[in-house]
Amino acid sequence: MSKARKKNTRPVVATNRKARHDYTILDTLECGVALVGTEVKSLREGKASLVDAYATIDDGEVWLRNLHIPEYSHGTWTNHAPRRTRKLLLHRREIDSLMGKVRDGNNTLIPLELYFVDGRLKVELGLARGKQAYDKRQDIKRRTEEREVTRELGRRVKGITG
């Protein structure tokens, strides 16, 4: 495998598949997560859930809440609490920018993906605005129409008539 291709692949631990359905993602950024040892070992086994996770900004620090990392199977009394609040590692200017965007609009911070980069866990954090039910229906309709158009174009290229 070439170096360029190898560098782009990142081992994804968990994704929040419902996030793009329930929210409109306005902006994304990558940030680190402060973890304890047994959390890293559990994540390397590929165990994590972003289902109810969200991020908050408290006292100038960004915290990831409700991220479920199960206890490490071979851990002892040093195991971690599965749903503990974890600190996200960002630069001050990024935190200030996020703080302004969250405070001004009806926006929230949603983790979209957990993955490893050079042995360190990163989280892709999305600045999101909640969707209403009619927005979700419009998105489903638009995707269905796009799928039908590409299907019809494929038929025409192959010479198949309906």
Side-chain angles (χ1 to χ4, degrees):
M1 192 181 304
S2 68
K3 284 186 180 180
R5 184 169 171 193
K6 190 180 245 185
K7 197 150 186 108
N8 290 336
T9 60
R10 57 184 191 202
V12 176
V13 177
T15 57
N16 191 348
R17 295 173 43 187
K18 288 285 282 184
R20 296 193 192 275
H21 178 71
D22 292 338
Y23 299 94
T24 302
I25 308 300
L26 306 173
D27 192 19
T28 61
L29 70 144
E30 180 182 82
C31 51
V33 185
L35 299 171
V36 296
T38 55
E39 289 175 326
V40 176
K41 292 177 181 184
S42 186
L43 286 167
R44 291 209 185 278
E45 290 178 348
K47 298 177 181 176
S49 175
L50 289 169
V51 174
D52 295 328
Y54 63 97
T56 58
I57 303 173
D58 301 327
D59 299 326
E61 295 180 335
V62 184
W63 298 91
L64 187 59
R65 302 183 186 279
N66 279 348
L67 169 65
H68 185 266
I69 301 174
E71 290 185 348
Y72 182 55
S73 57
H74 301 294
T76 58
W77 59 273
T78 59
N79 248 334
H80 61 277
R83 285 202 183 268
R84 76 177 187 91
T85 303
R86 295 163 179 92
K87 186 175 181 178
L88 295 180
L89 308 173
L90 291 161
H91 292 284
R92 171 60 46 203
R93 65 182 180 279
E94 293 174 325
I95 294 172
D96 293 340
S97 171
L98 281 178
M99 202 179 320
K101 290 176 183 176
V102 169
R103 191 182 315 127
D104 290 346
N106 192 14
N107 300 332
T108 185
L109 297 171
I110 303 293
L112 303 174
E113 210 171 45
L114 284 175
Y115 52 90
F116 282 101
V117 174
D118 295 330
R120 293 187 168 89
L121 185 77
K122 302 289 182 180
V123 60
E124 184 179 16
L125 202 61
L127 181 68
R129 176 173 288 130
K131 284 186 186 177
Q132 301 294 326
Y134 60 84
D135 291 334
K136 294 177 190 178
R137 287 193 296 267
Q138 287 174 352
D139 283 350
I140 292 169
K141 181 180 176 185
R142 182 183 44 81
R143 280 196 305 264
T144 305
E145 289 172 353
E146 288 175 0
R147 196 177 311 120
E148 289 173 0
V149 166
T150 53
R151 195 176 290 153
E152 185 61 34
L153 287 173
R155 287 185 185 133
R156 285 188 184 173
V157 167
K158 294 176 185 173
I160 302 171
T161 55

